């Protein structure tokens, strides 16, 4: 019932939701209703704006990975993990807009790692979760969705940088940590200098 109500708030009938894969439902429900409304009103998102700006200047654009990489990662998850993802999502539905605002504030304040820590704190408060299960789930998510991809991107970034100045854009969770893109590049000899906002 909670899942049906969350879908209805996004204009998706329950019978249509039943046809979607659990990981897709999780992604869909992780976006607050207000953000979906903005997207339907023509908001392109930061990635779209960057691509448009590059095209306007005649600059080449290259992807860090195939477009379906994340989709394949989700598809490779076990059925139990997928069901766990989608059943835990409605538990935070009432707080999704507040969480979205908190995460955006941390990001624009240059505290992107707080986003990851905040998500773990919130997850430990969900019904049936323990600190141990949350730690394992986040470690698994990090390996699959963040650090593994970071390592795969570094050679692509190096190759592009060898040809001249390059702008690389990706999600904030890929920035920090031992296996963050910045640290991996620093280990390869890049000088990392933060820019003031």
């Amino acid at each position: 019932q909670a899942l049906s109500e969350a879908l209805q708030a996004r204009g998706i009938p329950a019978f249509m939701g039943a046809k979607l894969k659990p990981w897709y439902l999780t992604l869909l429900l992780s976006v607050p209703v207000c953000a979906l409304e903005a997207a339907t009103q023509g908001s392109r998102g930061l990635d779209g704006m960057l691509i448009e700006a590059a095209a306007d200047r005649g600059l080449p654009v290259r992807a860090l990975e195939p477009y379906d990489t994340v989709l394949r990662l989700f598809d490779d998850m076990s059925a139990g993990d997928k069901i766990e993802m989608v059943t835990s999502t409605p538990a935070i539905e009432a707080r999704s807009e507040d969480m979205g605002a908190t995460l955006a504030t941390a990001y624009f304040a240059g505290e992107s790692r707080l986003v990851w820590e905040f998500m773990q704190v919130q997850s430990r408060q969900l019904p049936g979760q323990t600190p141990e299960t949350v730690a394992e789930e986040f470690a698994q998510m990090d390996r699959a969705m963040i650090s593994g991809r970071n390592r795969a991107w570094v050679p692509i970034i190096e190759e592009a940088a060898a040809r001249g100045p390059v702008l690389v854009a990706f999600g904030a969770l890929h920035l920090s940590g031992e296996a963050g893109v910045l640290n991996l590049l620093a280990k390869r000899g890049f000088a990392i200098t933060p820019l003031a906002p």
Side-chain angles (χ1 to χ4, degrees):
Q1 184 61 36
L3 182 57
S4 296
E5 290 172 4
L7 288 169
Q8 192 65 45
R10 290 161 173 78
I12 302 171
F15 78 90
M16 286 298 295
K19 298 177 184 298
L20 301 175
K21 293 188 176 187
W23 62 260
Y24 186 80
L25 280 173
T26 302
L27 287 178
L28 187 62
L29 296 178
S30 70
V31 180
V33 174
C34 61
L36 283 178
E37 290 170 354
T40 61
Q41 294 171 1
S43 174
R44 297 181 313 283
L46 184 57
D47 52 350
M49 290 188 285
L50 286 170
I51 291 169
E52 185 177 294
D56 289 346
R57 290 165 177 77
L59 299 173
V61 175
R62 180 179 174 191
L64 286 168
E65 61 192 8
Y67 73 93
D68 61 348
T69 298
V70 175
L71 305 181
R72 285 187 283 105
L73 288 170
F74 278 122
D75 253 353
D76 289 344
M77 293 173 66
S78 71
D81 286 342
K82 292 175 188 175
I83 297 300
E84 175 64 28
M85 283 173 62
V86 78
T87 54
S88 65
T89 303
I92 60 170
E93 173 66 17
R95 295 178 285 169
S96 66
E97 291 188 19
D98 290 341
M99 288 175 65
T102 299
L103 299 179
T105 299
Y107 171 77
F108 286 110
E111 297 287 353
S112 58
R113 191 65 189 184
L114 288 180
V115 173
W116 184 253
E117 304 304 329
F118 177 74
M119 287 173 17
Q120 290 186 68
V121 169
Q122 293 294 306
S123 296
R124 286 195 292 269
Q125 296 171 6
L126 295 175
Q129 294 285 12
T130 67
E132 294 75 24
T133 59
V134 169
E136 176 51 36
E137 287 170 6
F138 271 74
Q140 181 181 8
M141 186 172 16
D142 175 73
R143 287 189 299 271
M145 302 295 295
I146 302 174
S147 58
R149 293 166 70 206
N150 292 352
R151 290 184 181 94
W153 293 347
V154 167
I156 296 167
I157 295 169
E158 287 182 311
E159 180 188 329
R163 294 195 301 268
V166 61
L167 170 70
V168 185
F170 43 78
L173 288 179
H174 295 279
L175 288 168
S176 65
E178 184 68 22
V181 172
L182 296 181
N183 190 53
L184 294 174
L185 289 173
K187 287 182 175 180
R188 303 284 293 176
F190 283 77
I192 308 299
T193 307
L195 300 177

